[in-house]
Structures are given as C-alpha cells and as structure tokens.
Amino acid sequence: MGEVLIRTQSLRTWFPKRKSLLGKPGAWLKAVDDVSLTIYRGECLGLAGESGCGKSTLGRTILQLVKPRSGSVRFDGTALRNLDFRQLQPFRPRMQMVFQDPRSSLNPKMTMLKILAEAIRANPDHDGDSILDQAVELADMVDLRPEHLFRYPHEFSGGQQQRICIARALATCPDFIVFDESTSALDVSVQAQILNLIKRLKQRLGLTYLFISHDLNVLAQVCERIAVMYAGQIVEIQESGRLFSSPGHPYTRGLRDAVPIADPEAKQTFVSIKGEVPSLVDPPAGCRFHPRCDFADRLCATRVPELQRLERHRSWIRCHRYRQLNFNQERR
Amino acid sequence: MSVKQKEKPILEVKDLVAEFTTAAGRLRILDGIDFSLFPAEILALVGETGCGKSVTAKSIMNLLAEQVCKRRGKVMMDGVNLLDLSKKQMRSYLGRRISMIFQNPIASINPVFTLGEQIRRLVRIHMAGEITRVKSELGCTTAAAIDRLAAANLEKVGLTDVDQLMRAYAHQISGGMAQRYRIATAVLGNPDVLIADEATSALDVTVQAHILRLLKRLSAEKNTAIIFITHDLGIAAQLCQQVAVMYSGRIVEVAPTAELFKNPLHPYTRGLLKAVPQLSRKTGLEHIPGTIPDLRNPPSGCRFHPRCRQAMERCRRLRPPLVETKSHQVCCHLYDAGNKEAAWAKS
C-alpha cells in the first residue's frame, strides 16, 4: 500500500440555483467546495457527515457522474476532468458504484442474469462465450446460488438485492468502488452480513473503496481512514481508530459524541452540537463550522482555515485552533 | 425495579393480535403481544423491519382501519380496554391520555395550515382550563391567551423565534424543528403515555441527540411514560429503562436495559447485539444467518428457529412459553422449566 489511486485537488462542484430571466444562475449551491483528498490503492476511505453536506456529490464527482466546476480528479495518473464522454469510456468499467436503495437501482424487468450480463459485456476484456460462467462465479462471490440467476429483483429480499448490486459492480473487474450509503436501508442483522461481504471482497480482490455513510459505527467497521465532511468541505481526515479516540476537529468530536452507544454502562448525556447545518448557498464566512463551534474565536469567524497536514501519516485537519484544543488524552 | 413493581402500570397490553386482510390472504402481523408500561418509564420496543413495531403502536392508538386490520386482545388503560372503544370515544383519550409522534415529522404536520393555526387549535381543545386562567390573570382576550399558551408550549421544547415559526408552514422548517414542534403538540394535553415511532430515525445524529435529551427531560418532568420504537440499539441503551425485543410479530424478550445488554437470554437478542456495529468494537461483526420470515407463511413453533443456531426439535413444533427469570421475561425453549439443563449447557 502507498500507491495513489485517486487524487482530487481543490475540487468544486456547484449547482446553479435561482436562474435569472436570461438563464444565468443567481446563486450557486456549493455542494463540494475545495476538496482535496487522496485515496490510496487497497484502502477503504470512509466519508462521514450529516445529510446535505455534499458526501454523495463528492462521490459522484470523483466518478465523473457530475462534472466539477473547477479542480481536478486524477484516477491512476490520468486527469479525468477534461475528458469527454467517449474518452471516459475506458475508465468507466474500472470505477463502479453501489447505491443506497437496491430495489430502485435494479431494473425490475431483467433477471439477475441479464443484469449481470449487461455489466460483464461492458468490460472490454471479457470473452463473449462465457457470460453464464462468469455470472455464476459472480453470484458465488456474493453468496448467491446459481438458480438465483433466473429470478427477478422483486423475488429477492433487500439484503439479497444489495448482493446483486455488488455483484454487478464487480462484473467489470473494477479497481475502485464507491458505496453510497449502501447498508443504510438494511436491518442490523442483514447490514452485518453485507458489511462482512464488502470487507471480504476487498481483501480477496484487492479493491479500493470510498465508503459514504452517515453512520460512524458502520464506518468504524469497514474503513482504515475516515474523512469527515461539513458543509461541502473536508474538515478532518484521520486513521479510523484515532479519529474516534482522539478527534482533532471540534465537529468530529461533536459528531462522535452524538452517536448513541449500544452499552448502557457508557452513560451518555446527549450533549450535542448546537444549531443546525448551514445553507450551502450562502455558507458562513471564515470557518464554516464557527457559528456552531464552542471554541470559535475571532479568527475563525473571518479567515477560512486551510486543510493542513498533520505530522501523522495521511492525516489532515481544517481548523485554526486544533493545536490549542486537545481533545485527546494520549499524544501521538 | 422493586418500586416499579408496586406501582400500577399505566398501560397494559395483553395478548394483542392484529390480522391484516390482503390480496395474499390473512396475515397475522401481531401474534400475541404482552407488555406493561409504568408511569414515567421509557420502554424501548426494538426489532427489525416488518416485525410489527409500528403496527403495535398503531393498534394501541386505533389508527388502523377496521376493514383492513382486525385486532383482538386487550390494551388496558385505567380499567378500560381501548380496543373496545369507538373512534368517537377514543377521541377523549387521544392527546390527553395517550399521544404519538412519527418518523417523518414534516409529513405528519398538515401542510396547508400554518404551524400557529394548528397548535392554537390544539390549545383550544386541550387547555380550556389554562385559557381561562391566563385570561383572568392578564385580563386579555381569549385569542391572546391562546397565542400566549401556544408560544409557551413551543418554547418549552426548545424552539426559538416562536412568532416567526407560528407563521411558517411545515415545508419551511427543518426536520429537527418539525420534530420539536410535533413533540410540543403531542404533549400539550399532558398525556400519560407518549408513543414515539422511530421519531429520530430520519434525523441526523446531532439533531437526534437534542430530541432524545428533550424526550428524557419531558418524561422526568411530567411523569410521561414513553414507548420508544426504534431499530437502533444504541438509543435503547442510552434512553430507555426497559427494553422489549420483537421478532416477527412477537415479543421475544423483555428486561431492564442494563440486564438485557449485559446478559441477553434469547438467541435472537444475542445475535442482534453481536451484529450492531460499534465504534469501540475491535472484533468483527457476527451476523444472524438468513432473513426475517415471510409472514404469509410464518415458520411453525418458534418463529426464530430457522435462523437459530441453538434450535432443537421442539422449537420446530411448539410455540415457546413465556419464561420469567429473576429479571427477564423470555420466550424461548432453552429456558423452559422442563429443559433447564439444555439452557445452561448451551448458554
């Protein structure tokens, strides 16, 4: 590990809001605003944050499903931003996505075999005559049986449907998969099955993941590193264990403390971050978190903090005051 | 717990059965639910999708149309079986004795009236005594008194900028504010029981924390008992005193929270606790094999037996009896009196 697979540099994805009479946007919704991050080959990077903070948009922008307004995305050394539809084609099979709602991401008129076959054919390296064999193999990878191939999506449970979506993502032999809240719609017992499957596949096939979730507990299970997003920006990137034991950013700490712990002996008081998520059209000046932050001073209200590299390996933080705030008992 | 036992339960559910008539035939969604709720107690009703948590709540509240859902059993409140009441008679209970909040707070507010109009109507219905008191104290008109009470109720749940809020419509406020507003409307009649059906599941964790703290405070201040329906065991652990675990239309285990998490008895509860992802968990997740049963054709005997690693021959044949241990109530053959050795050997 150590090889860079994806690198984004000051990525901005803005959506036009309130178009004027001549079709000129009067305002922009800044869903992703100045995001620079690196995903290393073979790792699972988690992306956490509250609803509406731009997590999904960032995932889609990396895959070029949404075109960024500025900034760059490099995938395996190639800059993707200026490629047109046709030039992107060779990269598409290498980057896949698994969505939140498996039911609506499967065509109800296609059997599982047809769904997989379509994806297998999209892979330029496939040999035409063994589609059935490959489909059987894919089904086996996600613990479904060969006879399932002839069934339609509605005949499967939610967990099984998500397995099909994962199999479809694997069909093109990708390097990189974005999971966008892929287990959020599932029950705990099924969610555990899918999480274990996702972890196992990564090991076996040497995949790289971006795992988007609002649930910190889930991220802690599958990710090596976690990026925390707030109002369109990354506020902290840390190794997953350290992020929870000693968060650097006040927002990360607030988020962690708000998660109910399934252990009655850990007496929580439900003290949480005050206020609500800001509007992405007109985000607060300075540090975007400062109106809700208990530690903000004058500098936070006026100057935008830069994302700074910590001495620690692959850790970044966007906070003026992190050196003074010491949320951790342990140092380094 | 001993204090609780001396108290009389505020709500008692006994052998509650709910059957739905659908195109696929008759589905028995609730198959004999029993539990008691004591004053000021917060009870968690946990379970996976489709296990009947919400149907339990709606059956208690009489919110299901008689044509689709047939209910049997008892829901006792001060010696009256709520299931026997007509819709009209039930009205004197709703809001005053028993109230409910829902998962999607914005959708559960009427979109065509302002928030102010709606809460003022409720004040008029539920707070007649208060209105006259405020009127005589301040010498104001009825309308002004209602306004004042409505605003006071909204402030009590931590809402600010109340004047502006009262002029807003449901779609103009955030989910967190909407849920606070719904709580304010649900408790202004001082109900003894509040049912919260996945009341924080649609909210972000930070907002969820605020709502949970609010509910905890209300319960302590007003002696309101809360049935908190959730699939999140973290909330059950942190908010509730008692936890009831449901599986496929039945309650499989009830115990005080600390007991349940430390010493779960039912194999389903054990599996569920091992499947919950936690920040502090170092080991991998264990999952429960299989999926929840199809209610069109539920498994015989114990409904959990096809997924249970400890299933015995009798689990397939017989419905497990309710076994009471020192602190738990559990429905499982492992703890059956005639089968005690098996229980301790296998646990």
Side-chain angles (χ1 to χ4, degrees), chain A residues 19-34:
Chain A
K19 285 200 174 157
S20 72
L21 207 58
L22 296 171
K24 265 197 166 174
W28 293 93
L29 188 138
K30 298 160 186 150
V32 174
D33 205 20
D34 192 16

Side-chain angles (χ1 to χ4, degrees), chain A residues 253-270:
Chain A
R253 192 181 70 144
L255 207 57
R256 178 198 65 179
D257 292 346
V259 178
I261 304 170
D263 177 4
E265 277 166 26
K267 298 249 183 301
Q268 279 179 299
T269 47
F270 303 124

Side-chain angles (χ1 to χ4, degrees), chain B residues 16 29 57 60 79 90 94 101 109 150 153 184 256 272 289 294 307 310 324 332 337 342:
Chain B
L16 179 64
I29 304 294
I60 294 171
M90 190 70 192
L94 296 181
I101 53 176
I109 300 172
N153 272 295
L272 211 55
D294 183 353
R307 300 176 74 186
Q310 292 163 282
E324 294 215 26
C332 180

Side-chain angles (χ1 to χ4, degrees), chain A residues 158-233:
Chain A
Q160 287 173 322
Q161 287 173 345
Q162 199 58 286
R163 285 171 196 271
I164 299 175
C165 292
I166 294 172
R168 178 176 61 185
L170 295 175
T172 60
C173 305
D175 298 299
F176 177 60
I177 304 179
V178 175
F179 291 92
D180 189 359
E181 301 274 11
S182 301
T183 61
S184 308
L186 306 173
D187 277 312
V188 259
S189 73
V190 181
Q191 170 173 280
Q193 295 174 10
I194 300 294
L195 287 176
N196 284 337
L197 173 71
I198 289 174
K199 267 160 82 173
R200 207 172 63 225
L201 289 170
K202 174 170 164 282
Q203 290 267 302
R204 198 167 134 196
L205 304 171
L207 297 166
T208 307
Y209 292 158
L210 177 67
F211 200 99
I212 301 171
S213 177
H214 68 279
D215 189 338
L216 293 180
N217 289 320
V218 166
L219 292 177
Q221 274 310 306
V222 291
C223 304
E224 283 103 31
R225 285 195 310 151
I226 295 175
V228 180
M229 221 172 155
Y230 182 76
Q233 297 185 324

Side-chain angles (χ1 to χ4, degrees), chain B residues 276-289:
Chain B
V276 178
Q278 262 178 278
L279 297 182
S280 54
R281 193 191 292 277
K282 292 285 180 291
T283 54
L285 294 178
E286 280 181 47
H287 61 248
I288 305 173

Side-chain angles (χ1 to χ4, degrees), chain A residues 50-51 157 187-189 191-193 195-196 216-217 221 244 258 260-264 266 268-270 272-273 276, chain B residues 48-49 174 177 204-206 208-210 212-213 234-235 237-238 257 261 272 277-279 285 287-288 290-291 307:
Chain A
E50 292 173 278
S51 48
S157 67
D187 277 312
V188 259
S189 73
Q191 170 173 280
Q193 295 174 10
L195 287 176
N196 284 337
L216 293 180
N217 289 320
Q221 274 310 306
F244 299 120
I261 304 170
D263 177 4
Q268 279 179 299
T269 47
F270 303 124
S272 178
I273 304 168
E276 302 212 8
Chain B
E48 295 177 279
T49 317
S174 70
M177 281 162 82
D204 277 314
V205 273
T206 53
Q208 166 173 285
H210 293 300
L212 294 179
R213 191 155 53 136
I235 298 178
Q238 295 302 328
T257 310
F261 280 85
L272 211 55
Q278 262 178 278
L279 297 182
L285 294 178
H287 61 248
I288 305 173
T291 49
R307 300 176 74 186

